C-alpha cells in the first residue's frame, strides 16, 4: 500500500530564511510525486510535480523539490521565504490509474517577522 | 476558462440526514475524483468517476456514493450523516482516468454535521 509521511506537523521559519519541508513515501513502483499548498478554507494549489527525468524539479513561487529514490524522499525547498508562504503544505504520491492520490498529513508553515 | 467549480461552498446538516454535493469539471475533462479532508488531516481519496462509472474507490462505507452525468459533472451523495463526516470535500478533475499529472482541485465544500 502506498503511504506518505510528513514528519513535521509544524515548522516556524523567519522571513527571508531558507525552508525545507520533508516528505517520505512508500510506493511499489515508480511514483508520481506532488507538493500542494493550501491556505485556510481553500482548495489545493499544485506547487510542483515529479514524474521522471531530472530529479530536481522547479515549481511555482520559487519552490523546488528533489526526488531521492534511495531515500524514498521528495523534500520541498525554498531559498528565502516570504510572509505570504504561510500555509499548509501537503506531499502526495500516486501512480495514475483509478486509485487517486495518497496525501501526507501536512506541514503547517508559520513565518516569523 | 473556469476551473473546477463546487457547490455549495458551505453546508450545515444534522446527524442522520442526507447530503448532495456538486462538482463541475474543467471544460474538456472527463474524469472526476472526490476527496475528503478532515480538519488537521490531508485529503483522503473517496472515488474516481470516468465515463459515468466508478473506476476506483478508497476506504469509505457504502453511505458514500456518487454519479457522473453526460456533461461529466458529478454529484457526491452521503446518506445517514455522522458527526465524523464533517469535513472539506474536494472535487478534482483530469482529462482522462488516472491522469494525475493534470489533476486540478476545486475549492471544496465545507460540510458541518451537527
Amino acid at each position: 500500500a502506498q503511504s506518505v509521511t510528513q514528519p513535521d506537523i509544524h515548522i516556524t521559519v523567519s522571513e527571508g530564511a531558507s525552508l525545507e519541508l520533508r516528505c517520505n513515501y512508500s510506493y511499489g513502483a515508480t511514483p508520481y510525486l506532488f507538493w500542494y499548498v493550501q491556505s485556510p478554507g481553500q482548495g489545493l494549489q499544485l506547487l510542483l510535480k515529479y514524474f521522471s527525468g531530472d530529479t530536481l524539479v522547479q515549481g511555482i513561487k520559487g519552490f523546488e523539490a528533489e526526488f531521492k529514490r534511495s531515500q524514498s524522499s521528495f523534500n520541498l525547498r525554498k531559498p528565502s521565504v516570504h510572509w505570504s508562504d504561510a500555509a499548509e503544505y501537503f506531499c502526495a504520491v500516486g501512480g495514475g490509474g483509478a486509485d487517486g492520490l495518497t496525501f501526507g498529513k501536512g506541514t503547517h508553515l508559520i513565518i516569523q517577522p | 476558462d473556469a476551473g473546477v467549480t463546487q457547490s455549495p461552498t458551505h453546508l450545515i446538516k444534522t446527524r442522520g440526514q442526507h447530503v448532495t454535493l456538486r462538482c463541475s469539471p474543467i471544460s474538456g475533462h472527463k474524469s472526476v475524483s472526490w476527496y475528503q479532508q478532515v480538519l488537521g488531516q490531508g485529503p483522503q481519496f473517496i472515488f474516481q468517476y470516468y465515463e459515468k462509472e466508478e473506476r476506483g474507490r478508497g476506504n469509505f462505507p457504502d453511505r458514500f456514493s456518487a454519479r457522473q452525468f453526460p456533461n461529466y459533472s458529478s454529484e457526491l451523495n452521503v446518506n445517514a450523516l455522522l458527526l465524523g463526516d464533517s469535513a472539506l470535500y474536494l472535487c478534482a478533475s483530469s482529462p482522462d482516468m488516472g491522469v494525475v499529472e493534470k489533476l486540478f482541485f476545486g475549492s471544496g465544500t465545507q460540510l458541518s454535521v451537527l
Side-chain angles (χ1 to χ4, degrees):
Chain A
Q2 57 199 51
S3 66
V4 175
T5 301
Q6 294 181 246
D8 304 305
I9 298 174
H10 300 277
I11 282 189
T12 301
V13 178
S14 298
E15 190 169 14
S18 63
L19 169 71
E20 182 170 28
L21 303 182
R22 295 183 290 165
C23 172
N24 293 96
Y25 69 90
S26 174
Y27 194 76
T30 300
Y32 294 166
L33 294 160
F34 306 82
W35 274 99
Y36 288 90
V37 62
Q38 185 178 42
S39 297
Q42 299 298 310
L44 299 169
Q45 182 182 21
L46 179 66
L47 287 175
L48 47 78
K49 55 192 176 186
Y50 171 79
F51 299 126
S52 63
D54 192 349
T55 56
L56 184 64
V57 294
Q58 302 297 321
I60 63 171
K61 303 184 178 184
F63 286 93
E64 66 177 26
E66 186 172 12
F67 170 59
K68 293 185 177 180
R69 184 186 301 274
S70 62
Q71 299 177 19
S72 297
S73 69
F74 189 57
N75 294 347
L76 182 71
R77 300 193 295 250
K78 186 171 185 178
S80 177
V81 299
H82 185 263
W83 64 266
S84 60
D85 293 324
E88 194 79 19
Y89 290 79
F90 293 96
C91 180
V93 66
D99 295 334
L101 296 181
T102 297
F103 286 82
K105 293 185 177 181
T107 296
H108 183 60
L109 177 62
I110 300 167
I111 307 296
Q112 280 184 336
Chain B
D1 284 341
V4 179
T5 57
Q6 294 186 241
S7 64
T9 55
H10 296 82
L11 200 53
I12 299 174
K13 292 286 188 178
T14 52
R15 282 179 298 174
Q17 285 188 314
H18 164 270
V19 68
T20 298
L21 310 181
R22 295 176 175 82
C23 173
S24 293
I26 290 173
S27 177
H29 283 195
K30 299 179 181 178
S31 178
V32 170
S33 300
W34 288 94
Y35 289 77
Q36 181 196 62
Q37 186 178 15
V38 174
L39 187 65
Q41 301 292 317
Q44 188 173 359
F45 173 69
I46 305 176
F47 31 48
Q48 179 176 176
Y49 273 75
Y50 177 72
E51 295 291 356
K52 297 183 287 183
E53 291 190 13
E54 183 180 302
R55 303 290 181 164
R57 187 181 185 97
N59 187 25
F60 280 82
D62 291 344
R63 299 187 296 108
F64 288 77
S65 65
R67 51 180 181 166
Q68 187 177 31
F69 300 98
N71 66 353
Y72 304 109
S73 66
S74 177
E75 287 182 351
L76 168 67
N77 297 286
V78 186
N79 293 323
L81 284 167
L82 304 174
L83 295 179
D85 295 331
S86 295
L88 180 67
Y89 289 86
L90 295 165
C91 173
S93 76
S94 60
D96 285 291
M97 188 185 78
V99 181
V100 293
E101 64 269 30
K102 295 181 181 180
L103 190 68
F104 293 89
F105 284 85
S107 296
T109 294
Q110 184 66 55
L111 172 65
S112 298
V113 181
L114 305 179

